[in-house]
Amino acid sequence: MTNKDVLRQYQTYITNIIQPSCILPLVDFLTDHEDQIQTVEDQKGLTEAATLMMSLIYDLPETQGWFRMLLNGFSNAGYSTLAEAIESNDFADIEKAAVHKEVVRKLRVMLANQLKPLEILLYMPEVLLPSQRQRVERITELKGKVHGTHTLLDFLLRTDNPRWYTCFLDALRKGGYDQVVNVLDDQNGNASEQSGVDSKEEALEEMEISFSEEAGPSNLFASADAEKDGCQPTLNYDAPSSVALRNYQLELAEPALKGKNTIICAPTGSGKTMVAMEICRHHLEQSTEERGRKVVFLANTIPLCQQQMEMFQKYFENTDFGVTGHFGDDANPIAIRVSVETYEIIVMTPKLLEINLEDGTIPGLSTFTLIFFDECHHTMKNHAYNAIMKMYLDIKLGPEPTPLPQIVGLTASVGVGKSKNERDAREHIYQLCANLDTDTISTVRQNEEELSSHVFVPDKDTRIAKRRVANPFMDIVLELMARVESLANNTYNIDSLSKIPRSTRGSQCYEQWIVEVQRNCKVLRLDNEDEEKKVCRKLVTCAEHLRKYNDCLIISEDARVKDAFKYLQEHFDNLDPEFFDETDEKLVNYFQEKKAKLKNVANDNGTDNPKLSELQLVFEEQYRFKPETRTILFVRTRALAEAIKEWVLETPTLTHLRPKVLIGRRKTDKVEGMSLSNQKAALGAFQEGGSKLLIATSVADEGIDIASCNLVLLYDYVGNVIKMVQTRGRGRAKDSLCILITSNSESATKEQINIIHEKMMYDAIKSIQRIDHTHFLAKVNKMQTIMKKTHDIERQRAQTRSQETDLFVLLCGKCRKLACNSKDIRVIKNSHRVVINKDFIDLCNVTPHPKPKKYDDVEMKRKIACKDCNRDWGIMGSYLGLPELPLLKTEGFIFVNSRTQSRPRVNKWQDFPGVIEEFNILDMSSTAQGEGV
């Protein structure tokens, strides 16, 4: 690796730390460029100037000793820690400061309003460079203490001094700001404890995340990235950040700038986020003393929230408008309440906003004057977006309307739902407009030519691959599945347990049939209770094995037979014989009888997959003529993503692609989730060139923004029109290509239907835009009135259900063992159901949790399962100093009404028809004394 490669590797660290004007006098090879760099530093800021300086260094011819001179220049300018880190390839000290810097970023508005910077400067001589101290003093004198504090914080957030935070706290104490120190200490403690922990929203929603590449501070407004995002930046270090929108972006923003509720529908890569920030700035600037303005930006996922918060913070960093974010583990109600009172812009996930509105932490929607809904096409059915808008409609159509926030939705595709014609498509779009109380749909109509010159739509192609002529591996697995089905059927008529017909083995429909059978096993009733227990346990066990065999067939269809066998072998290796009954032993023996034959077939190269051969051909074609090609390969399942990665690494002509996998964070019963840091590492390697191939599941459908991606491959990956638009839009480079590879003619047909639906969608939008506006509003208002009545009826039914006081018994979902009853359960923060009966633990098999986590002040350390059959029951957590609290998951249990003996389906705790009391620590004291139920 050359010295310039070393600098490129650490570019983000360097550009986020150095002040070029302090270094330029110490390195003579940049003398000719001093004025240029200094001008950029004065007009656009330190990061822009540092980025320019590094790019010039890369372009300059190497002279003897230049690298040592640069490192000495860093050290002599005051950046000795950075210089040592580059030389030793060890950035541990610099990285440790990241948590502290994040805390200060979140609280900077509060700090700017409370601190007097000149009082603090007296006590921290070792942290700031002399020129930086002078800068803070000058800004404070010219513009006041708020601007001076912001300047001070900007320099602190760029320092490489590992002791900066300690020095900062000491300076605050000496300056008499003990209360501020306490706040910083509290926030830092929370950040340290919660770093790397799974989110509250994930636990509540259990949804796949979308991932968006995080634009680092060093290049957020760099010219290349600005061009990519559809904006032309004109930033000034001291002046408020602003951008000059293109004409098509101004057209998109126009209705919202006039205060109208708007859905902005524009292609991926057209710069919708920039449009949103300009709308936000314009909105906040209209604030008055009588009516202050406050904005909340909602994004569906934690990484998207993180990215949007950082973009907003950069955009508004030199204004009086503060930006903060709450998502993931940062869900403390007190912190959220303080942020809502203090900051003008808050970035949140919709579920977190919904929860805090429901519990009163946020007084109501009228707290905000503008709400952005990112990817607003999700505002349908039971999505959190729709739950928030139901609260909105309750106010709008209620007896005493109060001021409501302006609504702005952002999307690349409004979709058409299940429409069969343009009229149906219009009804679908009308429904979305009604859900978002939309006044207008904003699309580019006057400036289409300019839009098309900046946003590139990839060419689309389809490759039909042949199927295997023979697949002896599949034949053996099908035989095993037939035996398992026969065993189950001899016990009970399994087809009667599902309204979904038993479909072709090895299909997604068969998977749905299995899930339905498993759910109905839980509510199956037989006259003989002992017989019922035996039958249900056998059926559940058979269904579990059928599900694994079905997964195995899907993998063998899309990947290599050896990958399918490996998946199956891992399943049987992970079974614990300690919990086997007669059925378990029989099913394991079925597999063992065929194991050797399956292994032999799996190792036979004659079972190569024609679909993989087609994929290999596409790779070789594309990279032969364009070696710099970057590819995103979309696949249907996590297991398949890993299998294809192994295939690429083991194929000599493809190893140069150095593939990375991107999957969601949520753990499933098939594959462990991917940590946020690993997701970032995979995207980082792809973005920076270490990898030329990113293999992704639906996690990358929305939000991912990599301009250098010029090839999108859909590996039998077909969804609706929204999915097609989103996946196709991942390829944003000029002359990009999108190819569907399939061995299924139905998939190819479905993709053609999506193309028709896309045209239908745009035609429907144009039709709606042409109609009389009064007619449009009347249509939307009529739909909202019907929605409000339906919602009121649903709410009344829910209240009736919640008033039922019947006792419910919880039985193990597999072996029917009595676990507890509903009087034994309490709810913590409307999220966690905990058993307070101390005897319950004796019924559990307790094992270490592979990924301990903490949220809502509940720490989850171990897993709990039924001691008899090892059915997953939930997690053992600690709360308020209580170390042994069993937290239950609904999937582990059957719920029986003790009065009527009915067995309601409870797929999530919100479906539970009985009453569960709030947790009180005194309950634990009474059970410890033997007074509990």
Side-chain angles (χ1 to χ4, degrees):
M1 182 181 290
T2 68
N3 290 331
K4 288 186 178 180
D5 288 336
V6 171
L7 293 178
R8 287 189 181 94
Q9 182 176 353
Y10 301 127
Q11 160 123 349
T12 300
Y13 290 111
I14 296 169
T15 55
N16 285 342
I17 290 174
I18 65 169
Q19 182 176 344
S21 57
C22 297
I23 297 165
L24 290 173
L26 304 172
V27 289
D28 58 18
F29 55 83
L30 286 172
T31 302
D32 294 342
H33 303 281
E34 280 191 34
D35 292 343
Q36 180 186 2
I37 297 171
Q38 184 67 59
T39 299
V40 172
E41 182 175 315
D42 293 339
Q43 294 182 357
K44 296 187 178 181
L46 300 181
T47 302
E48 289 286 329
T51 302
L52 172 62
M53 187 183 97
M54 296 309 298
S55 66
L56 291 170
I57 289 174
Y58 301 146
D59 293 339
L60 287 173
E62 298 188 18
T63 57
Q64 187 173 2
W66 74 272
F67 186 65
R68 173 51 52 193
M69 179 184 290
L70 181 65
L71 293 187
N72 289 342
F74 285 168
S75 294
N76 294 332
Y79 300 111
S80 56
T81 303
L82 175 63
E84 292 169 5
I86 295 172
E87 195 159 17
S88 63
N89 189 28
D90 182 4
F91 281 76
D93 287 340
I94 291 176
E95 288 176 344
K96 286 177 183 176
V99 173
H100 301 307
K101 290 184 177 182
E102 184 58 33
V103 169
V104 171
R105 282 191 187 95
K106 286 188 175 183
L107 297 176
R108 68 180 295 157
V109 173
M110 180 271 289
L111 294 171
N113 289 329
Q114 294 193 26
L115 303 183
K116 295 180 179 179
L118 300 185
E119 293 179 355
I120 302 168
L121 281 178
L122 295 172
Y123 304 110
M124 47 191 317
E126 66 178 277
V127 177
L128 299 182
L129 306 179
S131 62
Q132 293 174 339
R133 294 171 58 84
Q134 294 168 11
R135 174 83 168 173
V136 174
E137 291 169 352
R138 187 167 67 253
I139 292 296
T140 304
E141 182 179 349
L142 292 174
K143 298 186 177 182
K145 69 180 185 66
V146 173
H147 284 278
T149 304
H150 276 300
T151 305
L152 169 64
L153 295 177
D154 284 338
F155 288 134
L156 289 179
L157 294 174
R158 296 181 66 86
T159 183
D160 70 336
N161 190 320
R163 295 190 65 254
W164 80 271
Y165 190 67
T166 301
C167 294
F168 182 45
L169 293 184
D170 287 343
L172 290 174
R173 292 190 185 96
K174 292 174 182 177
Y177 296 103
D178 291 335
Q179 187 174 2
V180 174
V181 173
N182 292 336
V183 173
L184 287 168
D185 278 341
D186 288 343
Q187 289 292 316
N188 185 61
N190 291 338
S192 299
E193 289 174 6
Q194 297 174 356
S195 178
V197 179
D198 287 345
S199 75
K200 175 178 181 179
E201 288 88 294
E202 284 186 332
L204 292 171
E205 298 183 273
E206 292 192 320
M207 60 183 286
E208 282 283 326
I209 69 164
S210 306
F211 200 97
S212 181
E213 179 206 346
E214 295 185 26
S218 64
N219 64 5
L220 182 59
F221 289 98
S223 58
D225 290 329
E227 191 72 18
K228 166 194 71 179
D229 199 35
C231 65
Q232 299 161 326
T234 54
L235 296 183
N236 183 283
Y237 186 66
D238 292 320
S241 303
S242 61
V243 295
L245 296 184
R246 293 196 172 100
N247 291 328
Y248 76 80
Q249 293 171 324
L250 287 171
E251 182 181 353
L252 289 171
E254 184 179 359
L257 292 174
K258 293 179 179 177
K260 295 181 179 180
N261 286 4
T262 309
I263 293 176
I264 295 175
C265 182
T268 55
S270 57
K272 290 187 291 294
T273 299
M274 281 298 163
V275 173
M277 289 192 291
E278 274 292 281
I279 293 169
C280 182
R281 179 185 64 79
H282 181 270
H283 179 84
L284 291 173
E285 287 176 350
Q286 311 308 310
S287 181
T288 64
E289 290 186 8
E290 294 77 20
R291 175 63 167 154
R293 301 213 164 188
K294 197 171 295 289
V295 179
V296 61
F297 189 101
L298 302 177
N300 272 305
T301 66
I302 297 164
L304 278 173
C305 280
Q306 182 73 37
Q307 172 189 293
Q308 303 293 38
M309 181 186 74
E310 290 175 0
M311 291 187 73
F312 271 76
Q313 285 176 335
K314 181 67 179 177
Y315 182 87
F316 288 99
E317 68 178 341
N318 295 306
T319 72
D320 293 329
F321 304 129
V323 181
T324 189
H326 288 281
F327 37 85
D329 310 303
D330 188 12
N332 183 284
I334 296 175
I336 291 173
R337 186 180 297 117
V338 170
S339 292
V340 169
E341 293 173 355
T342 307
Y343 290 84
E344 286 75 26
I345 306 163
I346 301 101
V347 180
M348 302 180 80
T349 51
K351 193 65 182 179
L352 195 56
L353 177 60
E354 179 191 351
I355 291 170
N356 283 276
L357 285 168
E358 286 177 344
D359 65 17
T361 298
I362 298 174
L365 281 173
S366 57
T367 302
F368 305 104
T369 53
L370 172 61
I371 303 179
F372 287 100
F373 290 80
D374 199 17
E375 308 296 353
C376 69
H377 53 265
H378 291 298
T379 315
M380 292 284 184
K381 298 181 180 179
N382 296 320
H383 193 279
Y385 278 171
N386 220 21
I388 292 166
M389 288 308 298
K390 283 180 180 178
M391 299 179 194
Y392 177 102
L393 282 184
D394 283 342
I395 299 171
K396 177 183 177 181
L397 303 178
E400 298 179 4
T402 57
L404 284 167
Q406 180 184 357
I407 303 297
V408 176
L410 308 169
T411 184
S413 170
V414 293
V416 296
K418 297 181 179 180
S419 304
K420 295 180 180 179
N421 51 51
E422 187 185 323
R423 193 184 80 169
D424 292 345
R426 287 199 301 271
E427 288 300 309
H428 172 86
I429 296 170
Y430 272 126
Q431 186 63 62
L432 181 64
C433 291
N435 292 349
L436 284 164
D437 193 36
T438 302
D439 185 274
T440 184
I441 303 174
S442 180
T443 59
V444 176
R445 289 185 277 176
Q446 304 300 322
N447 298 279
E448 290 182 343
E449 185 175 341
E450 183 192 41
L451 173 66
S452 62
S453 69
H454 293 287
V455 178
F456 308 108
V457 178
D459 293 330
K460 197 75 183 283
D461 190 16
T462 299
R463 301 285 190 94
I464 306 293
K466 296 178 180 179
R467 292 178 177 269
R468 289 187 181 94
V469 177
N471 190 345
F473 181 87
M474 179 180 286
D475 294 338
I476 300 170
V477 174
L478 290 173
E479 180 187 341
L480 285 168
M481 293 179 78
R483 292 183 70 181
V484 177
E485 288 178 7
S486 177
L487 177 63
N489 240 340
N490 290 336
T491 305
Y492 193 85
N493 180 5
I494 52 176
D495 288 319
S496 67
L497 292 172
S498 173
K499 294 179 181 178
I500 301 173
R502 196 185 336 171
S503 185
T504 305
R505 302 179 189 119
S507 67
Q508 295 295 332
C509 291
Y510 189 89
E511 163 94 3
Q512 294 170 7
W513 174 77
I514 293 172
V515 171
E516 185 77 4
V517 167
Q518 286 178 314
R519 286 178 176 171
N520 285 324
C521 279
K522 292 172 64 174
V523 296
L524 179 63
R525 297 290 301 274
L526 298 178
D527 294 336
N528 186 303
E529 188 174 331
D530 291 335
E531 182 67 16
E532 179 186 307
K533 290 180 180 180
K534 292 177 182 179
V535 167
C536 290
R537 176 163 182 170
K538 179 178 285 190
L539 292 177
V540 170
T541 303
C542 288
E544 289 170 349
H545 281 255
L546 287 172
R547 194 171 189 175
K548 293 298 178 182
Y549 283 127
N550 196 62
D551 293 339
C552 169
L553 288 178
I554 292 173
I555 294 172
S556 72
E557 176 68 21
D558 289 335
R560 298 171 298 182
V561 171
K562 63 185 287 188
D563 300 312
F565 177 73
K566 179 183 177 183
Y567 175 83
L568 205 54
Q569 181 67 64
E570 288 176 352
H571 163 65
F572 282 95
D573 288 345
N574 289 330
L575 295 177
D576 191 343
E578 181 182 347
F579 300 98
F580 280 5
D581 65 0
E582 180 184 351
T583 304
D584 291 294
E585 291 176 355
K586 188 174 291 187
L587 293 176
V588 170
N589 287 335
Y590 286 172
F591 173 73
Q592 293 297 337
E593 290 171 12
K594 301 292 184 180
K595 178 180 175 181
K597 195 172 181 181
L598 285 168
K599 187 175 182 180
N600 288 336
V601 174
N603 293 328
D604 181 5
N605 291 331
T607 57
D608 285 348
N609 193 334
K611 194 189 295 186
L612 283 179
S613 300
E614 187 66 36
L615 178 59
Q616 181 176 349
L617 181 62
V618 170
F619 280 139
E620 291 171 351
E621 287 173 354
Q622 296 299 318
Y623 285 90
R624 181 183 302 119
F625 299 107
K626 262 190 184 179
E628 71 280 7
T629 291
R630 298 284 181 82
T631 305
I632 297 182
L633 172 64
F634 284 97
V635 297
R636 289 180 293 171
T637 67
R638 297 174 172 196
L640 180 57
E642 293 292 344
I644 290 186
K645 176 187 173 183
E646 292 302 313
W647 167 74
V648 172
L649 291 173
E650 294 173 19
T651 303
T653 60
L654 302 181
T655 54
H656 69 97
L657 300 180
R658 299 184 294 279
K660 295 293 181 182
V661 165
L662 182 66
I663 63 174
R665 294 177 68 193
R666 181 172 60 89
K667 177 185 175 182
T668 70
D669 61 348
K670 303 173 189 176
V671 182
E672 285 284 341
M674 195 174 188
S675 69
L676 186 57
S677 60
N678 286 340
Q679 288 174 332
K680 290 181 179 180
L683 275 174
F686 185 67
Q687 175 70 7
E688 294 163 13
S691 168
K692 294 183 178 181
L693 171 62
L694 188 67
I695 306 168
T697 57
S698 59
V699 67
D701 272 0
E702 297 176 354
I704 192 170
D705 180 12
I706 303 177
S708 58
C709 173
N710 60 303
L711 179 61
V712 178
L713 299 180
L714 309 176
Y715 196 69
D716 242 331
Y717 188 90
V718 181
N720 59 18
V721 64
I722 292 175
K723 184 182 287 287
M724 183 193 75
V725 171
Q726 295 284 2
T727 53
R728 184 186 63 197
R730 300 312 106 207
R732 300 192 179 178
K734 192 174 182 180
D735 300 323
S736 293
L737 185 62
C738 180
I739 302 175
L740 169 65
I741 299 172
T742 180
S743 57
N744 187 342
S745 59
E746 291 180 4
S747 296
T749 301
K750 190 172 183 181
E751 194 71 349
Q752 291 301 313
I753 292 173
N754 282 335
I755 293 172
I756 295 171
H757 279 172
E758 183 181 21
K759 182 180 183 303
M760 182 193 301
M761 177 187 73
Y762 287 124
D763 288 344
I765 291 174
K766 290 176 182 177
S767 177
I768 291 173
Q769 290 172 330
R770 285 194 299 266
I771 70 169
D772 179 74
H773 193 60
T774 304
H775 176 73
F776 170 83
L777 293 180
K779 176 84 172 178
V780 167
N781 290 334
K782 182 178 180 180
M783 296 178 85
Q784 289 180 335
T785 302
I786 296 171
M787 289 159 53
K788 177 68 164 57
K789 289 180 179 178
T790 303
H791 182 214
D792 289 342
I793 293 171
E794 290 174 352
R795 188 159 40 203
Q796 289 172 1
R797 288 175 178 171
Q799 289 173 349
T800 302
R801 285 198 303 268
S802 66
Q803 292 169 0
E804 294 179 10
T805 56
D806 287 349
L807 180 71
F808 283 81
V809 173
L810 276 67
L811 307 178
C812 174
K814 185 172 183 179
C815 70
R816 296 297 204 270
K817 179 173 73 174
L818 175 63
C820 62
N821 63 55
S822 54
K823 285 187 178 180
D824 293 330
I825 303 173
R826 299 291 184 271
V827 60
I828 297 175
K829 297 189 175 183
N830 202 34
S831 298
H832 316 282
R833 272 68 180 181
V834 56
V835 180
I836 62 171
N837 189 332
K838 61 184 180 64
D839 295 330
F840 177 79
I841 298 175
D842 295 333
L843 306 176
C844 301
N845 174 38
V846 184
T847 56
H849 198 294
K851 293 183 179 180
K853 47 192 172 184
K854 179 179 180 179
Y855 51 80
D856 266 349
D857 300 322
V858 178
E859 190 170 358
M860 302 180 177
K861 299 179 179 179
R862 292 177 289 169
K863 298 183 69 174
I864 56 175
C866 175
K867 185 174 278 188
D868 290 352
C869 69
N870 210 33
R871 174 79 168 189
D872 185 7
W873 280 359
I875 295 175
M876 189 73 78
S878 61
Y879 178 64
L880 299 179
L882 300 169
E884 301 287 331
L885 292 179
L887 307 172
L888 306 185
K889 58 192 300 185
T890 56
E891 294 92 332
F893 300 96
I894 299 165
F895 296 80
V896 183
N897 186 311
S898 60
R899 179 176 61 85
T900 65
Q901 295 302 302
S902 63
R903 299 186 179 187
R905 281 192 174 194
V906 183
N907 295 326
K908 53 184 184 294
W909 277 111
Q910 286 78 1
D911 299 332
F912 179 65
V915 175
I916 298 180
E917 298 177 16
E918 288 287 333
F919 179 83
N920 187 321
I921 197 167
L922 297 178
D923 292 331
M924 303 306 296
S925 301
S926 63
T927 56
Q929 296 169 10
E931 299 172 8
V933 293

